[in-house]
Amino acid sequence: ETGVTQTPRHLVMGMTNKKSLKCEQHLGHNAMYWYKQSAKKPLELMFVYNFKEQTENNSVPSRFSPECPNSSHLFLHLHTLQPEDSALYLCASSQAGTATEAFFGQGTRLTVV
Amino acid sequence: GQSLEQPSEVTAVEGAIVQINCTYQTSGFYGLSWYQQHDGGAPTFLSYNALDGLEETGRFSSFLSRSDSYGYLLLQELQMKDSASYFCAVGNNAGNMLTFGGGTRLMVKP
């Protein structure tokens, strides 16, 4: 148990579906992140939230929409995805301003069909 | 922007020592971190270097040379359970963003 919980662990969705990924952290951190991990590619930073405010959007397509209602919860809303969006989506948290040690969830394995 | 280079794969035998190198190019720098990820698992934090030199944590050590934009992770007394992917990562100046290298897949053989 890492203190960062992601649901669901696996998700299969069609290109016209709308779904959401959820992340919850119980570590008292105030920064949360979404990363995408594709096969044979580096971990790609998607979004950063510090104290519930989005501080980074790493040129992510608008079909990915993040939401951070409080410092403990982070969502990634998905709609009209493409097959190339199939990947492992990882949520992480850290103390704001100290991204040296991030704690990751187990990830959601997303398959777009 | 930030980019990191590390070997894609390393193989070593049980009990040996292995060094995984990482070179980086950054527009800002807030330290070099290392993470371990087993297949199907989440990345877990191993070590962090903000200043030049060697940091030791048990069998694992990490080194940083800021003038060379270079660091490495040293794993001693390798065990089978050390077979995993290892990622180096750099933080930006504000310390609110981690950029990862492509990862090095370490295979430990008997």
Side-chain angles (χ1 to χ4, degrees):
Chain A
E1 182 58 54
T2 64
V4 180
T5 305
Q6 289 186 244
T7 54
R9 292 293 307 276
H10 300 273
L11 178 62
V12 179
M13 61 185 288
M15 288 189 283
T16 59
N17 291 159
K18 289 185 180 181
K19 297 286 184 183
S20 296
L21 310 185
K22 179 182 176 182
C23 176
E24 185 174 359
Q25 59 96 1
H26 308 279
L27 301 168
H29 291 158
N30 41 37
M32 297 188 77
Y33 314 81
W34 280 117
Y35 282 88
K36 176 183 178 182
Q37 187 174 34
S38 304
K40 302 186 186 301
K41 285 188 177 181
L43 278 158
E44 300 171 56
L45 179 66
M46 300 176 73
F47 301 104
V48 181
Y49 278 83
N50 283 272
F51 298 98
K52 303 186 298 179
E53 298 297 321
Q54 185 176 315
T55 54
E56 293 289 339
N57 177 338
N58 206 22
S59 303
V60 180
S62 60
R63 57 186 184 270
F64 295 91
S65 174
E67 179 190 0
C68 188
N70 54 61
S71 293
S72 299
H73 293 86
L74 185 65
F75 296 89
L76 188 63
H77 303 301
L78 317 170
H79 64 97
T80 59
L81 294 191
Q82 304 297 313
E84 59 264 31
D85 296 323
S86 298
L88 181 68
Y89 288 85
L90 289 159
C91 171
S93 71
S94 74
Q95 290 295 350
T98 59
T100 55
E101 183 174 358
F103 291 79
F104 284 82
Q106 297 287 1
T108 296
R109 173 69 62 187
L110 173 67
T111 303
V112 181
V113 297
Chain B
Q2 295 168 298
S3 66
L4 299 94
E5 294 289 330
Q6 51 182 129
S8 59
E9 200 170 285
V10 173
T11 301
V13 297
E14 214 171 357
I17 299 172
V18 72
Q19 179 174 312
I20 299 174
N21 298 321
C22 175
T23 56
Y24 58 87
Q25 290 183 322
T26 63
S27 55
F29 183 76
Y30 195 83
L32 184 70
S33 305
W34 288 92
Y35 288 77
Q36 178 192 62
Q37 185 179 28
H38 286 100
D39 285 346
T44 56
F45 173 81
L46 289 178
S47 68
Y48 166 69
N49 295 69
L51 303 175
D52 293 351
L54 193 67
E55 294 283 340
E56 297 181 64
T57 308
R59 294 187 296 115
F60 295 177
S61 302
S62 58
F63 172 82
L64 174 65
S65 169
R66 287 174 296 171
S67 60
D68 296 321
S69 296
Y70 163 76
Y72 65 72
L73 180 69
L74 190 73
L75 298 88
Q76 303 182 72
E77 300 172 19
L78 281 175
Q79 303 175 7
M80 297 298 291
K81 66 178 182 180
D82 296 329
S83 293
S85 292
Y86 293 83
F87 296 87
C88 57
V90 293
N92 64 349
N93 273 342
N96 64 359
M97 194 165 80
L98 271 178
T99 301
F100 285 82
T104 299
R105 189 168 185 85
L106 171 65
M107 289 181 286
V108 180
K109 297 186 173 181

